[in-house]
Structures are given as C-alpha cells and as structure tokens.
Amino acid sequence: MEISELYYPQVAAQAGSYTFNQGIEVEVYSAKLSCFDWAKIRFTESYRPKISLAKKEPASILLGYNGTLDTVFTGYVAAPYNGGASINEILLKDEMLIMENTMINDTFLDTTPQEMITFILSHAGFSKMKLSSALYPTRRILPIRKQNAVQAINTVNAAWGINVPFFFSGGVFYWGEKPEQKNIYTFEYGINILGLNRTQGIWELETVSAPFVKHSHKIRVIHPQISKEVEVLKVVSTTNDSGFIRTYIYF
C-alpha cells in the first residue's frame, strides 16, 4: 500500500511559453468512456495576465504536494486566447485535438486493425502507442474517405465489429490497453475521504488533490458504505471557491 503525506497542495499550469504558479484556478476532466481529456485554466479577478496564445500551442497542468508535482494533463490550447479580451479562461484539449485536425483519405488493402491504427497515428505525427495484441482477421479492402483521425479509428472499430476503447495518457496512445499502474492507492473513511455519494449506480468519492489517480486505475475504498477494490471510471480535479484543490473519483 502506498502512503503519501497530503499536505501543502500545489498547482502549476503551462501554456505555450507561459508558466502560471499563482492567480489561477484549474479544472481537469478525464473519463474512461471519453476518448479525450480536457482542462481549463481560469484566471482570478486579481490576476489577468496580458498573454496571447494560438490554437495547438502545448499545455499542461500539474498538481502535487510539498514541491513534488505530478502531471495530470498534457495537451494543447484548444482555441486562440488573448489576455486583453474579457474571457478569463483557457480551454485545453489533449492529443485528440491533433487527431481531430488530421484528415485520412486512403484505401487500405489486406490489413488488420492494428496496422491501420499505426498508420493513422503516424499520419497524425504520433509514434508512442500501445495497441491490443488480440488477433483479428485481415480485411481485403477498407476505404476511408475524408475522415479525421478520430473518426477513422471509429471506422476501424466498426469495420471489424468491435468496440475497443482508445485514448491518450501521458502522451501515449492506448487502443484496447491500459497504462501501467505502479501503486494501488487507498482511500479511507475519516482519513482522506471527504465525501462519498451514490447516484444512478455510480459512486462519487471526494478527496483532497489526488493527481496520481487516473481513469482505469484500481483503488481501494474503505468506508462504512463500501469496502473493496474498484476500477476508476472518471476523475475530475478542480480548485474550489476557497482555492483548495479537490479530486472527485467516480467508480
């Protein structure tokens, strides 16, 4: 069991050439059933920097404790931002933003899903991937006409009659695979669980900042209502009105 001392929470954000360590609020969303993660950087009323950011500039958000920060989001600026405008937040999207802006217009011959996805990723500029090793029959011909890379991967799934989840995590593309998990963290009643509610069959666990928990991870929950190891479906990390960082884990 991994034990961490969760004191002195910290947040940092990077967008383009800018780094923000204060005067910001953040929100990060990551879910197993969504192929992309998104995030927002909001500037507080007292801090409205004069900055300019173009779409697709790299961005990241880090959360942590005692000077040790974990990256909870990597991606890109989703829309141009001008600090002189009235809008006080920057919208970010993960690597799927690049996939959505990459067009595929090819005919594939004698191919497998893995071969097609490797080609699609390479065409979008990505080389880090972990694809399922499951065996699928070779398809004689499959045309893809004027689809973006995300649509093309959905077409691959449909062509083979499969529903294989795919997403980016830590800059690596996963198709039918999950990121390696080194530690299983425990959340316990009276220690690091701030709230636990169940709505429409889904549990929502509120805790302090937990940047080390990702969707598809296993966690242990020890609580009078439920005590077992569960798989994480969704993670939302946000700063509240008081400036405290909260992580909401859904399972």
Side-chain angles (χ1 to χ4, degrees), residues 5-248:
E5 297 294 336
L6 304 183
Y7 302 113
Y8 309 114
Q10 295 173 281
V11 57
Q14 299 171 342
S17 60
Y18 304 98
T19 299
F20 310 101
N21 297 301
Q22 58 183 357
I24 60 170
E25 299 172 347
V26 300
E27 181 178 0
V28 180
Y29 176 97
S30 179
K32 182 178 179 179
L33 296 181
S34 174
C35 68
F36 67 89
D37 294 351
W38 60 264
K40 292 180 180 179
I41 303 171
R42 299 189 186 95
F43 300 110
T44 60
E45 291 294 333
S46 60
Y47 184 67
R48 295 285 180 85
K50 301 297 181 181
I51 63 174
S52 180
L53 291 166
K55 184 178 179 179
K56 297 184 183 179
E57 290 202 62
S60 61
I61 293 177
L62 300 90
L63 300 176
Y65 293 90
N66 309 321
T68 301
L69 299 177
D70 290 321
T71 300
V72 294
F73 176 88
T74 59
Y76 303 88
V77 176
Y81 177 85
N82 186 335
S86 58
I87 300 176
N88 70 334
E89 70 178 28
I90 302 170
L91 178 63
L92 311 175
K93 200 168 184 178
D94 73 1
E95 289 86 351
M96 285 298 174
L97 178 69
I98 305 300
M99 299 283 280
E100 288 178 331
N101 286 274
T102 299
M103 297 305 297
I104 305 297
N105 191 34
D106 288 278
T107 297
F108 299 84
L109 303 175
D110 299 320
T111 188
T112 64
Q114 289 91 336
E115 289 171 341
M116 289 190 65
I117 291 171
T118 299
F119 173 88
I120 292 167
L121 288 168
S122 176
H123 195 65
F126 297 106
S127 59
K128 296 180 179 179
M129 66 191 79
K130 292 188 177 181
L131 310 182
S132 169
S133 60
L135 297 177
Y136 297 98
T138 300
R139 192 177 181 93
R140 187 178 68 83
I141 184 170
L142 180 58
I144 294 183
R145 295 286 176 258
K146 296 181 180 180
Q147 295 184 356
N148 68 42
V150 177
Q151 294 169 331
I153 293 177
N154 283 323
T155 295
V156 172
N157 279 346
W160 269 269
I162 54 181
N163 185 24
V164 178
F166 59 93
F167 56 89
F168 280 94
S169 181
V172 178
F173 179 87
Y174 293 87
W175 182 80
E177 293 288 332
K178 299 178 182 179
E180 179 185 358
Q181 182 177 355
K182 296 180 179 180
N183 301 302
I184 296 179
Y185 292 93
T186 298
F187 295 87
E188 188 170 353
Y189 177 74
I191 297 179
N192 55 0
I193 294 179
L194 302 179
L196 184 65
N197 299 289
R198 184 177 172 88
T199 305
Q200 298 181 342
I202 302 295
W203 289 97
E204 179 193 74
L205 185 155
E206 179 185 357
T207 185
V208 292
S209 176
F212 34 77
V213 176
K214 315 290 185 183
H215 79 67
S216 302
H217 274 187
K218 299 286 187 179
I219 61 171
R220 288 191 193 91
V221 179
I222 302 175
H223 191 278
Q225 296 185 69
I226 178 174
S227 290
K228 64 178 182 178
E229 189 173 290
V230 299
E231 182 179 9
V232 176
L233 301 177
K234 180 172 67 173
V235 182
V236 179
S237 293
T238 183
T239 47
N240 61 22
D241 294 338
S242 301
F244 294 108
I245 304 168
R246 294 289 181 261
T247 295
Y248 298 88

